[in-house]
Amino acid sequence: MKNACYCVTEHRAPLQRIIQDTPELTGDQVLLRVTASGVCHSDLHFWEGRYDIGDGQDMSLSDRGVTLPLTMGHEIAGEVVALGPDASGIDIGAPYLVYPWLGCGDCAVCDRDEENLCPNQARSLGIFTPGGYAEYVVVPRAKYCLPLGDLDPARAAPLACSGVTTYSALGKFRDAIRTDPVVIMGAGGLGHMALRMVRALSGKGAVFVDLDPAKRQAVLDAGALAAIDGAAPDAADQIRAATGGGARLVLDLVGAESTITLGLAAGLKGVRVVVVGMFGGQIKLPTVYFPMRAMTLEGSYVGNLKELRALLDLVRSGALDIAPVTRRPLHDANAALMDLRDGKVVGRVVLTPDPA
Ligand SMILES: [Zn+2]
Ligand SMILES: [Zn+2]
């Protein structure tokens, strides 16, 4: 079958349309016709080929194993069109959401469905292996296809990235989320997702910190307990006041020196800071703070297969509503990416099949 893909053939150059043959399926591979593929902010990093890791230094994505040409797109929903000889439990024609954060598939970590933490080879779809900016995608194993039922594929696709990332990060607070408000650094798209999820998980509520007054107002309108200007000289005091004495739970969706430092400054003993954002930069901390403040500074990287399954259940239960998205045809892939780069996108953009 011919497969039109929109590929990065050179970093920072327009995506190129390349026609490939879909491969002969082996093992329990699954071939999906892509019905939705989210255009994610992190795709801009893969397109640019670099991450800022602070002190004026970059980390090159080729050092991380990203090779060109690359078909991006890790937020994928699709309909099954063909199965490998060993694939089972999957229905031809049925809609599925794809778990994209794949590891080697062959070690103890991958076996317990924590492929996002695989110590061996990362094979994440749309980053290290071909993803969803295409008509068809090969999923290496049937277990990475999660049934969508009657959920809208376009609205569900971002659950595989922003959704599971937020779900996994909030999960690190466990039951404390019901008794303590979460201080959330960053009131952008991920912040709104986190706010809805705190509510869906019967959380106490969310206190936001953001530099942008419009974003602060938007989360207040959406039901945040408070929204604080992180640049205010008394920002830490304001966080203490809004949390009833100090932060115990901090979700940092920015990941800058300033946000991590502020979260710790406003934290009580026993504060847990979970960092998801990759703004870049470096932090310097007195090591004695760890025991003296009984503090935890923890990173969270996307989420695992079990978490994505649980998140889909939460959506199906009706507790968590998924945000509307803007749909654009696949052939607009490059334009959609450039609009995201230029800050012209509100909410999520999802590529859907070109009209026949
Ligand atoms: Zn993403
Ligand atoms: Zn592995």
Side-chain angles (χ1 to χ4, degrees):
M1 222 171 323
K2 295 293 178 196
N3 182 19
C5 315
Y6 289 79
C7 307
V8 184
T9 53
E10 190 187 334
H11 290 298
R12 295 185 174 84
L15 302 181
Q16 298 293 315
R17 182 173 191 263
I18 295 178
I19 308 288
Q20 292 169 337
D21 286 311
T22 56
E24 189 76 23
L25 299 182
T26 60
D28 67 346
Q29 288 179 331
V30 177
L31 182 69
L32 296 179
R33 185 179 75 85
V34 178
T35 53
S37 183
V39 180
C40 177
H41 210 270
S42 58
D43 289 338
L44 284 172
H45 292 295
F46 311 134
W47 176 72
E48 285 172 350
R50 313 205 76 79
Y51 276 111
D52 170 16
I53 53 168
D55 263 2
Q57 291 187 51
D58 278 359
M59 178 173 68
S60 144
L61 284 163
S62 60
D63 294 344
R64 271 190 73 202
V66 173
T67 55
L68 301 184
L70 166 66
T71 305
M72 298 195 298
H74 52 268
E75 303 175 354
I76 311 165
E79 287 171 4
V80 176
V81 291
L83 298 172
D86 305 327
S88 61
I90 291 280
D91 299 323
I92 297 275
Y96 291 87
L97 177 67
V98 179
Y99 176 78
W101 308 110
L102 305 186
C104 72
D106 213 21
C107 69
V109 177
C110 289
D111 278 350
R112 56 173 193 256
D113 290 343
E114 294 175 354
E115 298 232 357
N116 57 318
L117 305 179
C118 171
N120 304 320
Q121 191 192 3
R123 295 186 304 164
S124 298
L125 298 171
I127 301 168
F128 303 105
T129 58
Y133 289 18
E135 291 174 304
Y136 297 94
V137 68
V138 176
V139 181
R141 293 177 72 176
K143 73 171 180 176
Y144 307 134
C145 296
L146 309 183
L148 268 179
D150 53 11
L151 292 179
D152 174 1
R155 284 173 77 154
L159 291 173
C161 181
S162 58
V164 79
T165 296
T166 314
Y167 186 79
S168 178
L170 288 173
K172 292 180 169 67
F173 298 137
R174 300 196 185 84
D175 290 343
I177 200 172
R178 299 213 184 92
T179 51
D180 293 288
V182 183
V183 175
I184 301 179
M185 303 290 178
L190 220 49
H192 280 268
M193 175 74 92
L195 177 59
R196 284 199 302 276
M197 219 170 269
V198 166
R199 201 174 293 141
L201 296 168
S202 310
K204 185 88 175 163
V207 170
F208 278 86
V209 177
D210 202 289
L211 300 177
D212 182 338
K215 289 183 177 167
R216 293 201 298 272
Q217 190 58 50
V219 286
L220 286 173
D221 293 344
L225 299 174
I228 291 156
D229 179 0
D234 64 342
D237 286 336
Q238 289 189 49
I239 295 170
R240 280 187 212 103
T243 49
R248 289 182 202 278
L249 311 175
V250 179
L251 172 59
D252 191 338
L253 302 174
V254 180
E257 179 188 6
S258 58
T259 53
I260 294 175
T261 308
L262 178 59
L264 290 172
L268 292 168
K269 282 190 179 173
V271 65
R272 302 181 66 108
V273 179
V274 174
V275 182
V276 170
M278 301 217 251
F279 180 84
Q282 300 191 343
I283 54 167
K284 198 169 175 189
L285 271 182
T287 56
V288 293
Y289 279 11
F290 283 91
M292 278 172 55
R293 298 181 173 187
M295 57 166 268
T296 307
L297 181 57
E298 184 172 9
S300 190
Y301 173 65
V302 295
N304 64 41
L305 182 57
K306 295 173 279 192
E307 288 163 334
L308 186 56
R309 279 194 204 109
L311 174 58
L312 265 182
D313 288 343
L314 191 67
V315 173
R316 275 198 215 91
S317 76
L320 178 67
D321 55 332
I322 41 183
V325 296
T326 304
R327 290 153 214 261
R328 295 184 70 164
L330 176 62
H331 69 252
D332 270 358
N334 188 68
L337 189 69
M338 292 304 97
D339 285 352
L340 189 63
R341 179 194 62 175
D342 298 339
K344 293 180 192 161
V345 170
V346 179
R348 305 291 282 196
V349 171
V350 175
L351 302 173
T352 53
D354 285 330

